[in-house]
Each structure stands twice: as structure tokens, then as C-alpha cells.
Amino acid sequence: MVIPLNTPATGGALLVPYPAMLDVPHELVEHVSWLIYARRRELNSPWRKLGCFKQALLALAHLRKNETFAQLGAGFGVSEATAWRYVDEVLDVLASWAPGLHEALVGLGEGDFVIVDGTLIPTDRIAADEPYYSQKHKRHGMNVQVIARPDGTPLWFSRAAPGRTHDLTAARAHGIVQACLTRQILVLADRAYRGAGATVRTPYYGHRDLPEHYQQYNRDQARLRAPGERAFARLKSWRALQRARCSTRRIGRAVQAVHVLLTCDYTG
């Protein structure tokens, strides 16, 4: 961990390292380090300035705490460029283990239901900003869709689309509507998905003017959809996805990497 310290004597910023804790299980760091080790063996590139465990720790610190590459580099004794390269490599390794849409739906079928929702991953990359500006959220970012189990466990996260993309448009483009229709899986979604058809069920429009049984349906549907918010809450507990400073092209990989971290079995 490092903090910037303005020093009038040097006229610049000095990065001062200090001890810190990372709130992830030790077993998770070991699991990621084994994945890195396997990738190095595959590339026949066993030697790096940082060992597999330290590289895993560096990448997890970036995802969990959203520290800059300059801070990470100073804290781990490598250059800013090397820290960026190490994190990028770990994102690739983890994202390669993320399930595809059809793989995520294996075992589900008629009689099952899932929750579909969308969120915005905020970003400070606002040059060429119009495609990334979400009118709904009134900020720039990337649209990510999730398919979650009834208890909120994420099954699948989509690739990231520009923030102005409507949730229904994104769901159709990613193939969510068709994939769930093919398997006859009931989909519960909010009003943003109205008009999806197929097996997608959304609340009825209207408030007090709705018949009581429609209002009751909306209350029941909202109660069943509520756990879906946990999927995004867990995703954004990794602070790199609370406000992404990376290229918009890397956000999708970061989402997939965090999904693997949330669901991987490192106890074996």
C-alpha cells in the first residue's frame, strides 16, 4: 500500500509504502497464483520479477481496492508499466474461466426461473463520451447484464456495452432472451425489459389505478426479483468496478474476472 506525498523540496509526488491488509481469503490468493503458474508454464515463461503469489496479490489488490498502477508498482517494487502488465495478464487468466451464456444455463429448464437485470459500471473515461453516457443514471459508464439465481447468486455476466445501451436492447443483443426461451426458463425482470416477450415477465404499468390482483402480482414479482440486486452488490464490492479507471475495452474482462473470483472453488 502506498500514499502520494507532495514534497515541496522535490517539486513532485513521492510514493511512501506502508503496511496494509487485503480483505480476501489467503486461499483465494493461492488459487489465483496457481492459475498464474499454469499460464506461465503454458507460455514457457516461468521467470518474472514477481513470483506467482505476489503477482496474484498485486492483481487482487487492484481489483479489491482500486489503487492506481503507480501505487501498486511502488508497493510491490515494480514499475508502473510492469504493474499494469501483471494485472492485465491476471485479468486474462481469470476471464478465460468465466462461463459462457449457454454454459451458465446448463441444468436449468422448464419450471426454473432466473432474475435478469442491468447495471452501470461508472467510468471516468469521458472523451468521446456520448456513447457511454447513460440518461438513466446521468453519468458515463458501461452497461453490464446479469443472470442470477433466485437467491441472487450470479450465473453469468455479459460483456460490457456502452452506457447509453438500453437494458432490453442489451439483453437481446447478448442473446439472453432467446437462450432462456430455448430452455423454457422463466425470466423475472424490471420494467426496463417491457416488450421482451418470450419467457420474460415484467411488472404491470400503473399504480393505484391497477386492479388489486395486478398490484399483488407486482408486489410478488418485486419480492422475487429483489435478491438479484445482491449479484451487483457482490460485483461492486470489488472497488475497481465502483469507478473504473481503465479503458472501456477492459471493463468487460474485469467483470468476468471478478465473477470467477466470486464463484471459483478454491477449497479443494
Side-chain angles (χ1 to χ4, degrees):
M1 174 69 73
V2 289
I3 56 173
L5 175 67
N6 292 326
T7 52
T10 61
L14 177 65
L15 296 175
V16 182
Y18 67 94
M21 298 293 291
L22 185 62
D23 59 339
V24 299
H26 186 273
E27 293 83 0
L28 181 59
V29 186
E30 287 186 330
H31 180 79
V32 176
S33 68
W34 276 110
L35 295 179
I36 296 169
Y37 174 76
R39 176 60 64 89
R40 291 186 184 185
R41 289 291 298 271
E42 180 185 335
L43 298 175
N44 195 25
S45 176
W47 186 90
R48 304 286 174 85
K49 187 167 184 179
L50 294 183
C52 296
F53 188 89
K54 285 290 186 68
Q55 183 178 354
L57 194 61
L58 181 149
L60 291 174
H62 167 71
L63 290 171
R64 191 68 172 173
K65 307 181 80 172
N66 202 20
E67 292 185 336
T68 66
F69 293 115
Q71 292 172 322
L72 287 171
F76 283 84
V78 297
S79 69
E80 181 177 350
T82 299
W84 184 93
R85 190 169 63 252
Y86 279 1
V87 169
D88 202 53
E89 182 178 40
V90 175
L91 291 182
D92 278 341
V93 170
L94 290 173
S96 68
W97 287 89
L101 174 58
H102 295 284
E103 181 185 354
L105 297 178
V106 168
L108 297 177
E110 189 172 357
D112 295 313
F113 80 88
V114 295
I115 303 163
V116 170
D117 203 354
T119 192
L120 189 80
I121 305 295
T123 177
D124 59 3
R125 294 294 184 101
I126 60 174
D129 24 7
E130 185 178 354
Y132 304 101
Y133 186 76
S134 167
Q135 290 290 344
K136 176 180 177 181
H137 298 278
K138 304 302 181 185
R139 63 189 309 177
H140 296 83
M142 301 294 284
N143 179 296
V144 172
Q145 301 288 303
V146 67
I147 300 178
R149 292 186 182 276
D151 64 356
T153 302
L155 290 172
W156 177 81
F157 286 103
S158 73
R159 65 185 183 274
R164 73 175 181 183
T165 307
H166 192 275
D167 282 337
L168 177 55
T169 302
R172 284 174 169 160
H174 296 312
I176 297 172
V177 176
Q178 184 59 47
C180 291
L181 173 61
T182 300
R183 290 180 172 272
Q184 287 298 299
I185 302 170
L186 181 65
V187 177
L188 300 185
D190 61 26
R191 289 187 175 95
Y193 298 85
R194 187 167 181 254
T199 57
V200 180
R201 300 294 179 265
T202 59
Y204 290 102
Y205 266 91
H207 297 285
R208 296 179 181 177
D209 54 332
L210 281 175
E212 174 57 30
H213 63 282
Y214 282 7
Q215 294 184 40
Q216 185 60 49
Y217 171 87
N218 283 356
R219 289 191 291 268
D220 291 342
Q221 207 251 19
R223 175 176 54 81
L224 292 172
R225 278 193 296 108
E229 295 295 333
R230 298 175 191 165
F232 287 132
R234 294 180 65 195
L235 184 74
K236 293 184 179 181
S237 68
W238 296 76
R239 296 187 184 91
L241 298 177
Q242 290 180 5
R243 185 180 179 186
R245 289 194 292 259
C246 62
S247 163
T248 53
R249 292 189 298 272
R250 294 178 69 241
I251 292 175
R253 282 192 303 143
V255 169
Q256 291 180 322
V258 170
H259 181 206
V260 172
L261 293 173
L262 291 173
T263 59
C264 67
D265 179 11
Y266 53 83
T267 59

